[in-house]
Amino acid sequence: MSSPDRVLNAGVLGATGTVGQRFIVLLSQNPMFRIHALGASERSSGKAYRLATKWKMSDQMPLGVRDVLVKPCDPAYFSGCDVVFSGLDASVAGDIEKAFFEADFAVFSNAKNYRMQPDVPLCVPVVNTDHYAIIAAQRASRGLTRGFIVTNSNCSTSGLVVPLKALQDRFGALSRVIVTTMQ
């Protein structure tokens, strides 16, 4: 997707929400990415980011995004993006994310909408990056050339599988795990 010295232009969907804000903080601290486009609802679209969002992060709002104009969550407004990170709520994510990956964008989604699709990688980066190999089949089955969608796991699962993977790597297959979440 990129050579190590190339900076990728990133878009963030749902940029004014908590997940979108976390994406913005993380992307602004990563030298491999440049925040290129921010998308949110019609209520926020057309406003400078600092006016469109109620900042919730403990980190300060990155200076580089304060005056970025928030755009509608439509692929037409994200040209030039190499990758799109979606922090959209599941109630709206499905159709919007589909429009982006069908428009040949690489989409990394935090929403549950595509998690159970057999050709969509459900990845926890330090645990199962081999699942990215499914992307070729996803593109073939959907007629895509560059676009794809990858999802992350549920938040309670992400925190659990990292130590379980380490235990499995050290001691072999686990026979049983009992977990209770209070979601």
Side-chain angles (χ1 to χ4, degrees), residues 136-160:
Q138 180 189 118
R139 286 178 173 155
S141 71
R142 297 171 189 243
L144 304 172
T145 51
R146 286 187 44 236
F148 62 84
I149 185 164
V150 171
T151 64
N152 63 359
S153 64
N154 172 279
C155 56
S156 63
T157 303
S158 295
L160 181 65

Side-chain angles (χ1 to χ4, degrees), residues 51-72:
L51 301 175
T53 189
K54 181 179 178 190
W55 192 253
K56 301 172 187 166
M57 300 292 104
S58 58
D59 297 84
Q60 292 292 316
M61 183 186 296
L63 293 176
V65 299
R66 294 178 58 79
D67 293 316
V68 171
L69 199 63
V70 177
K71 301 173 181 182

Side-chain angles (χ1 to χ4, degrees), residues 7 10 15 29 41 68 78 85 96 102-103 119 125 127 134 141 158-159 170:
V7 175
Q29 297 170 354
S41 68
V68 171
F78 282 69
F85 294 91
I96 294 171
E102 286 182 345
D119 65 347
V127 174
I134 300 170
S141 71
S158 295
R170 174 64 176 96

Side-chain angles (χ1 to χ4, degrees), residues 32-44:
M32 290 184 59
F33 296 99
R34 175 186 311 113
I35 297 173
H36 183 72
L38 302 176
S41 68
E42 290 181 17
R43 182 178 62 249
S44 300

Side-chain angles (χ1 to χ4, degrees), residues 8 26 32 45 48 64 69 72 76 81 86 88 100 103-104 123 131 144 160 164 171 175:
L8 298 175
L26 295 172
M32 290 184 59
S45 180
L69 199 63
C81 286
S86 176
L88 292 169
F100 273 83
D104 262 346
C123 287
H131 285 208
L144 304 172
L160 181 65
L164 289 177
F171 301 108
S175 59

